[in-house]
Amino acid sequence: MDDYPLLNLFWTMMWLFLWVLWFFLLFRIITDIFRSHDMGGWGKAGWTLFVIVLPFLGVLVYLIARGDSMGRRDLEEAQRADAAFKEYIRSAADGGTPNRTDELAKLADLNARGALSDEEFQKAKGRLLA
């Protein structure tokens, strides 16, 4: 280890970090290309080819051209995942069955609007409470 100075170790670590960062960015952009719903198949194929054939230029141009929508797609995906997680927690807490109070409120609203007759309302209410 005497022939490898400490400064060279730092430079090696920096280059390794930048190499990993580059691949992370490259895979992140390729993932975003395929996740994008506002592009057709030819657009996705073109961007993918551009990023693979000329990686440095392709990544730079993609970030300049579509960087803002990339962040927006990330935010929307995170919000969808959060909503799905909260819904899963809610359904697991309810035991997977709808809340009776909510169902009764819906039935009463349908009855008040005239969509259900009084007889239909009573039957549905009886089934729900049984």
Side-chain angles (χ1 to χ4, degrees):
M1 199 69 184
D2 293 332
D3 60 339
Y4 200 68
L6 186 62
L7 187 59
N8 285 352
L9 178 66
F10 287 134
W11 276 109
T12 303
M13 293 301 290
M14 185 189 73
W15 283 112
L16 180 67
F17 173 75
L18 289 174
W19 185 72
V20 169
L21 182 68
W22 167 251
F23 278 105
F24 176 78
L25 182 62
L26 187 66
F27 293 140
R28 177 73 183 84
I29 286 178
I30 290 173
T31 302
D32 186 67
I33 289 170
F34 287 105
R35 187 177 56 180
S36 179
H37 296 292
D38 60 342
M39 267 195 295
W42 286 107
K44 290 178 183 183
W47 275 113
T48 304
L49 190 64
F50 188 36
V51 167
I52 289 174
V53 172
L54 298 170
F56 291 112
L57 184 63
V59 166
L60 184 64
V61 171
Y62 187 84
L63 288 175
I64 291 170
R66 298 184 49 87
D68 58 336
S69 62
M70 191 174 169
R72 204 172 323 111
R73 279 187 295 281
D74 281 343
L75 180 64
E76 290 169 359
E77 182 66 29
Q79 288 172 342
R80 274 194 301 271
D82 185 51
F85 178 72
K86 287 180 180 176
E87 181 60 33
Y88 172 74
I89 295 295
R90 218 175 279 117
S91 70
D94 288 342
T97 59
N99 192 349
R100 285 189 200 180
T101 309
D102 293 338
E103 293 295 321
L104 281 173
K106 289 177 187 175
L107 286 173
D109 183 49
L110 288 172
N111 187 22
R113 288 188 295 164
L116 287 176
S117 67
D118 288 336
E119 181 182 322
E120 292 170 330
F121 172 71
Q122 291 302 327
K123 284 182 184 177
K125 185 172 121 180
R127 272 184 281 150
L128 187 62
L129 295 176

